[in-house]
Amino acid sequence: MSLALDAAAQDLLFREAQTANTFTDEPVTDEQVQAIYDLVKFGPTAFNQSPLRITLVRSPEARQRLVNHAMGANGPKTLTAPLTAILSVDLDFHEKLPELFPHAPGIKDTFFAEAAVREVAGTQNATLQAGYFIVGVRAAGLAAGPMTGFDFTGIDKEFFGDGKQKSFLVINIGKPGPDAFFPRAPRLTFDDAVTTV
């Protein structure tokens, strides 16, 4: 069975797309980021929580503050990317639920009154949204370099001192540069990954 998405789009989003490790100096504009967000915001989350928050790191000063929390090669990669995004979960996402989930206005207080519950649910759903965001970056004709090799506690103190956001992923974004991609690593086969019960 074929997919509804044509082969070129499948290649752009998945088969030919890879994590970029180098980038050109071509800028990534606010308009491009707006277009990416306006597409991926429609990806589903539980109760339409939409807990993902994206912090765009553009200035040299902010970039250096971020790189101070990088591990290994992630620092140099981040210094040379045209745009870097810090992805975080809004731990007070429930405050927007009356607007985002209006047919059940009481859910804010009945399901999400406790901070620990919000952190688990928000982290699960923000992580889901991070996947949409990476595919959205690819849909814009750009490459994404997602990284977890950072001191996220340090990033939170540096950028989100109020404790209302908790970072979990840093993504470099731009046009791929020279030797941007490592050789494609193997993937699991369908039979290895999928079980029918």
Side-chain angles (χ1 to χ4, degrees):
M1 178 180 174
S2 63
L3 300 174
L5 205 60
D6 69 39
Q10 293 172 40
D11 287 343
L12 177 71
L13 300 179
F14 294 102
R15 285 194 291 254
E16 299 298 327
Q18 291 184 252
T19 295
N21 295 286
T22 69
F23 297 89
T24 70
D25 58 3
E26 182 178 332
V28 177
T29 67
D30 289 339
E31 291 77 16
Q32 287 173 299
V33 178
Q34 175 91 48
I36 291 165
Y37 180 76
D38 285 343
L39 175 66
V40 303
K41 69 182 180 184
F42 292 107
T45 57
F47 301 109
N48 200 29
Q49 288 172 29
S50 306
L52 180 68
R53 301 296 177 263
I54 302 164
T55 302
L56 301 178
V57 181
R58 287 198 182 276
S59 74
E61 180 269 336
R63 189 176 299 273
Q64 188 57 60
R65 288 167 53 211
L66 175 60
V67 166
N68 289 341
H69 303 285
M71 299 175 188
N74 290 340
K77 287 192 284 190
T78 300
L79 284 173
T80 58
L83 180 64
T84 302
I86 302 169
L87 273 55
S88 61
V89 56
D90 179 357
L91 298 176
D92 283 342
F93 70 84
H94 67 308
E95 297 294 346
K96 295 195 178 291
L97 285 177
E99 172 189 346
L100 295 174
F101 208 65
H103 53 284
I107 200 169
K108 166 184 173 291
D109 300 312
T110 55
F111 274 41
F112 299 111
E114 294 181 22
V117 172
R118 291 197 304 276
E119 182 167 353
V120 171
T123 300
Q124 289 173 337
N125 286 277
T127 304
L128 181 62
Q129 287 185 284
Y132 304 146
F133 184 74
I134 291 168
V135 173
V137 168
R138 294 171 173 182
L142 301 169
M147 301 169 289
T148 56
F150 281 78
D151 171 10
F152 287 106
T153 300
I155 289 175
D156 293 346
K157 289 177 183 174
E158 185 81 36
F159 290 89
F160 314 123
D162 62 1
K164 301 294 186 180
Q165 287 178 236
K166 188 172 182 180
S167 60
F168 64 92
L169 190 65
V170 173
I171 303 180
N172 289 327
I173 303 168
K175 292 285 187 181
D179 302 316
F181 307 117
F182 298 142
R184 172 75 81 182
R187 298 299 195 265
L188 292 176
T189 67
F190 179 88
D191 290 337
D192 287 334
V194 179
T195 303
T196 301
V197 295

